[in-house]
Amino acid sequence: MENPVIEVRDFRKTYGDFIAVDGISFEVNQGEIFGLLGPNGAGKTSTLESLEGLRSLDSGSLRVAGIDPTREPRKLRNLIGVQLQTSGLPESITAGEAMRFFCAYHGVDARYDLLDRLGLAEKRNAQYHQLSTGQQRRLSLALALAHNPPVLFLDEPTAGLDVATRVELHDIMREQREAGTTIILATHDMAEAEEMADRIAILLSGQFAASGTPIEITAEGAGLTKVSVRTQRSSLSESGVSFPAVSQQASKDEYRIYFSTDIGPTVAAIISHIETQKDTLIDLRVERPSLEDRFLEITSPGGDR
Amino acid sequence: MTAFINHFSFEFRAGIRDKQLLLVNYLLPLGFYFMMSFIMPGINPLFLESLIPALVTFSILSATFLGMPDPLVKAREDGIYRSYKINGVPSTSILVIPALTTMLHLVIVTLIITVTAPLLFDAPAPVNWLNYLLVFVVMAFASAGMSVLIGVLSSSTRMTVMWSQLVYLPSMLLGGLMFPSSLLPDMALKFSQLLPATHAMNAFNALAMGKVAYFNPWGSVVALFICGIFSFGLAIYMFSWDSRNEGRRGHPLMALLVLLPFIVGIFIF
C-alpha cells in the first residue's frame, strides 16, 4: 500500500513578477527515490527549499513526513536530512567538529562511522577548506545522514566525485531506500537519475513537462532506436537496400547504422536480408533512447512536452 | 547544552585557527601594545598613566569591529546560515556565540596586558579591580553588539569594512586612547561622546584607575550597557537567514537607535 511521505498540492512560488513554480502537484512514497530534473532556473531549488522549510509558498500546500514545512519548521528539523550543493560549512571547521556540531543540535551522538564509510577517516581533523570538492560533498552527505532522518534531500550528490566514491554513494542511497528512507534527488546527471530514481519528474519553467518511471518517460518520446550492424561481406552497404520503420541510416567504420521507429520489424528484416544474401552477422547492437535523449527532447526550444 | 558547548568550542577555536581572526584577536592588539609601550612613553610620559585602559580599549575595538562583522556576512553569503537553519541552529546562537568567544579571547589579551604592563613598562595598575572588570565587560558587550549588528545589516563584505571603520577610526583618533580627551576642542569632545571608546576610557580612568572623569563615569557604564542591549536586540530582530539578506525585518536606519544612549548622554552626563 502506498504511503506518501511528501505531498505537494498546487504549489506555486513567485519572486516579484517571476513565476518560479507554477502550481505543481506530486507525491513521494515511503522508501522511494524521486528524481527532480530540469535545466537551471526550472524551479527545482525553489521546490526543494520550500520543502526544506527555507522558503514560504504563495499558494498550494506542502507536507513532509506529516509536517507543514512553512508552519512547523522546527518540528521538521529532525525529520529531514539535506545534502546541500553549496558548502554550507565554515571554512575552518574540521570534519570531526562538523559532525559533533550538527549531531549535537539534532540531539544525537556523533556518527564518526559515517565519516569512515565515506572515506573521510583520515580527514577527520582536516579543515573544511582543506578538503577536495568530492570530500566536501561526502562530508555534507555524512552530515545529512547522521541523525537518521526519514526524508533525505540530495542536491547533485555525485557531482565532482570519482567513480569509486560515486558507486559507494549510490550503494548508500540504495541502503537508505531499503531502510524506508524517502529520497528526493535533484540532479543534472541523467544516467544517475535513470539508475537510481524509482520515479522522475522533469521541471520546465515551473511546471512538470514529464513525470513517471524512467522507462515510462523515455518510452513517451519520439526517440529513435539506434541499430548498428556489422557483417562479414558488407551486404547491407549495397545500394537500394531498405528496411521497414527506418527513418535514417548511415555508415561508420565497418558498421551500418539504422535509426528505427519500431525496432521489431527493422531487426527482423535486417537478419532476413543477411540470410538471403548468404552473408554472416558479426555484430548487432541495439541502443534504446536514453533518459538524456528524452530530457534533451523535452527541454530543447520547441521540444516535445 | 551540549549543542551550545560544541558551538562555543568551535567558534573559540576558529578565533585562533582563522588567520584573520588570530590577527585581530591577538597579534594586532599585542603587537600594538608592545610597540606603543616602547615608543610612546619617550614621546609622551603621561601615556603610561592610561596605558592599560587605552590598550585594553584598543584590543576590544580591534577584536570586535575588525574581527566580528566580516565572518557573519561571509557565512550568510556562503549559504552557511541556510545549512544552520536546516539543522536547527538558532539565530540567537549564530549571533551571541561569536560575541561570547570574542569576549573570551579579549579576556586573555586583557590579562596579558594587565599583568605585563606594570612589570615591563612601569604602567600603573588599576586601583579598583571590580570596576576595571565591570568597565571591561560593558565595553566588550557594547562593541560586540554593535559589531554583530553591522554584520547583520551589511549587504556585502565591502560594506562591512565601511561601517566598521566609521566607528573604529574615530574611536582611535577621538576616543582618548592616544591622548587625553581634555585636549580635544569642545565640539570634538561632544562628538567623541557618540563613540563607545570615549565612554570606556572615561569609565576606566575614573572608576578603575583613580583618575578624574571628563563626565559622569557611571553614566558611561550605563550608556555602554544600554547600547549593548539595543545592539543585540536589533541584531536578533533584523537577522535574516537568506544568503542575499533579502528577508531582513525593519529598516537599516533603525540601527541608529544604538547611538541613542550616547546622544542622551551628551546632554545629561
Side-chain angles (χ1 to χ4, degrees):
Chain A
M1 188 176 157
E2 291 188 342
N3 178 14
V5 173
I6 295 173
E7 295 170 83
V8 177
R9 295 269 170 275
D10 304 320
F11 166 52
R12 184 179 161 90
K13 176 73 191 166
T14 58
Y15 303 100
D17 293 337
F18 177 71
I19 302 168
V21 185
D22 192 9
I24 60 169
S25 298
F26 65 97
E27 286 182 352
V28 187
N29 297 314
Q30 188 181 6
E32 189 176 27
I33 299 180
F34 186 82
L36 199 55
L37 313 182
N40 292 334
K44 295 193 302 289
T45 304
S46 293
T47 306
L48 288 181
E49 289 188 343
S50 299
L51 286 168
E52 291 160 9
L54 294 174
R55 290 197 185 276
S56 59
L57 54 161
D58 293 318
S59 62
S61 68
L62 307 174
R63 287 198 86 75
V64 178
I67 301 286
D68 181 338
T70 54
R71 292 190 182 172
E72 301 168 284
R74 286 190 183 179
K75 280 189 185 171
L76 191 70
R77 300 292 156 242
N78 287 332
L79 299 173
I80 62 169
V82 181
Q83 188 210 20
L84 296 166
Q85 201 180 342
T86 52
S87 73
L89 287 172
E91 289 198 344
S92 63
I93 200 166
T94 67
E97 281 173 343
M99 182 56 81
R100 278 198 299 279
F101 181 86
F102 284 112
C103 284
Y105 274 109
H106 284 294
V108 297
D109 291 334
R111 293 283 310 278
Y112 298 117
D113 59 303
L114 283 170
L115 295 181
D116 298 347
R117 170 122 200 241
L118 285 159
L120 295 167
E122 308 280 309
K123 299 288 178 185
R124 199 185 285 189
N125 295 318
Q127 291 174 36
Y128 188 70
H129 70 94
Q130 294 169 329
L131 301 176
S132 67
T133 307
Q135 288 165 340
Q136 289 180 348
R137 221 165 270 267
R138 279 181 272 159
L139 175 60
S140 181
L141 179 67
L143 297 175
L145 293 170
H147 57 289
N148 209 15
V151 181
L152 262 181
F153 293 93
L154 306 179
D155 197 356
E156 299 287 342
T158 55
L161 295 187
D162 58 53
V163 176
T165 314
R166 184 186 155 94
V167 169
E168 177 68 28
L169 200 140
H170 283 169
D171 285 345
I172 290 173
M173 284 166 68
R174 287 190 194 95
E175 276 173 30
Q176 290 293 321
R177 173 171 54 187
E178 292 302 311
T181 306
T182 303
I183 301 174
I184 288 209
L185 170 68
T187 182
H188 283 111
D189 184 337
M190 297 300 136
E192 178 172 70
E194 198 163 11
E195 183 187 344
M196 298 303 303
D198 299 304
R199 284 188 304 130
I200 282 169
I202 299 176
L203 261 174
L204 199 63
S205 304
Q207 294 180 320
F208 280 149
S211 64
T213 65
I215 290 174
E216 283 168 356
I217 289 179
T218 48
E220 279 170 12
L224 300 170
T225 303
K226 185 178 169 186
V227 184
S228 307
V229 194
R230 185 180 165 202
T231 63
Q232 200 161 40
R233 292 194 296 105
S234 304
S235 60
L236 296 170
S237 302
E238 291 162 9
S239 60
V241 178
S242 64
F243 300 109
V246 170
S247 62
Q248 299 167 50
Q249 52 182 302
S251 293
K252 189 178 181 192
D253 299 329
E254 293 180 28
Y255 283 85
R256 193 72 188 149
I257 299 166
Y258 302 94
F259 293 93
S260 168
T261 53
D262 190 356
I263 183 69
T266 304
V267 171
I270 289 170
I271 290 171
S272 169
H273 176 84
I274 293 167
E275 282 173 355
T276 310
Q277 296 299 310
K278 308 258 187 255
D279 199 352
T280 307
L281 180 67
I282 296 174
D283 191 12
L284 186 146
R285 298 176 191 194
V286 176
E287 292 170 54
R288 305 282 304 179
S290 65
L291 183 63
E292 185 165 336
D293 296 328
R294 178 64 183 138
F295 180 82
L296 291 172
E297 204 177 293
I298 290 170
T299 56
S300 61
D304 164 34
R305 285 157 208 179
Chain B
M1 195 60 189
T2 315
F4 179 88
I5 292 167
N6 264 295
H7 196 160
F8 185 92
S9 160
F10 158 66
E11 287 284 354
F12 182 75
R13 275 178 276 185
I16 299 167
R17 208 182 270 158
D18 184 302
K19 283 175 189 157
Q20 193 188 336
L21 293 181
L22 179 69
L23 180 75
V24 295
N25 285 339
Y26 291 94
L27 303 181
L28 180 64
L30 292 175
F32 195 70
Y33 157 58
F34 283 109
M35 191 184 76
M36 295 300 280
S37 302
F38 277 114
I39 297 170
M40 284 299 281
I43 302 166
N44 173 17
L46 289 176
F47 179 76
L48 271 184
E49 296 296 312
S50 59
L51 187 148
I52 291 179
L55 271 302
V56 167
T57 303
F58 172 78
S59 303
I60 294 171
L61 291 172
S62 299
T64 54
F65 288 102
L66 300 186
M68 289 181 64
D70 202 46
L72 287 171
V73 176
K74 195 165 183 307
R76 188 180 61 228
E77 288 177 341
D78 289 350
I80 293 170
Y81 291 168
R82 183 175 175 241
S83 162
Y84 280 5
K85 188 177 185 184
I86 288 167
N87 288 288
V89 181
S91 58
T92 44
S93 296
I94 292 171
L95 300 177
V96 171
I97 290 177
L100 291 175
T101 55
T102 301
M103 286 167 80
L104 186 55
H105 289 301
L106 282 168
V107 167
I108 296 167
V109 170
T110 299
L111 272 175
I112 294 170
I113 293 171
T114 311
V115 169
T116 59
L119 298 174
L120 297 177
F121 306 108
D122 274 339
V127 293
N128 187 326
W129 288 96
L130 199 63
N131 284 351
Y132 180 65
L133 178 68
L134 175 72
V135 178
F136 166 79
V137 169
V138 290
M139 174 57 181
F141 177 62
S143 301
M146 289 177 81
S147 304
V148 165
L149 185 59
I150 289 171
V152 167
L153 289 178
S154 296
S155 53
S156 67
T157 47
R158 274 180 302 172
M159 291 303 288
T160 311
V161 174
M162 196 188 81
W163 294 124
S164 296
Q165 292 299 341
L166 270 179
V167 183
Y168 184 79
L169 288 178
S171 297
M172 290 294 292
L173 294 171
L174 307 174
L177 278 72
M178 299 296 116
F179 53 85
S181 295
S182 57
L183 298 179
L184 289 172
D186 236 24
M187 277 302 289
L189 183 64
K190 291 290 178 201
F191 174 76
S192 75
Q193 281 182 252
L194 291 173
L195 303 167
T198 307
H199 288 273
M201 286 302 291
N202 183 50
F204 267 133
N205 281 330
L207 301 176
M209 306 301 289
K211 292 167 69 180
V212 181
Y214 300 114
F215 44 91
N216 185 348
W218 288 107
S220 289
V221 171
V222 171
L224 287 169
F225 180 70
I226 294 173
C227 169
I229 295 282
F230 279 11
S231 299
F232 278 107
L234 282 168
I236 290 167
Y237 175 72
M238 298 172 103
F239 176 79
S240 164
W241 297 96
D242 187 356
S243 60
R244 278 175 280 185
N245 211 8
E246 287 169 350
R248 188 182 57 212
R249 288 186 291 182
H251 195 280
L253 285 176
M254 282 170 68
L256 292 175
L257 277 173
V258 303
L259 296 178
L260 192 63
F262 303 136
I263 294 169
V264 172
I266 291 174
F267 298 104
I268 64 170
F269 295 159

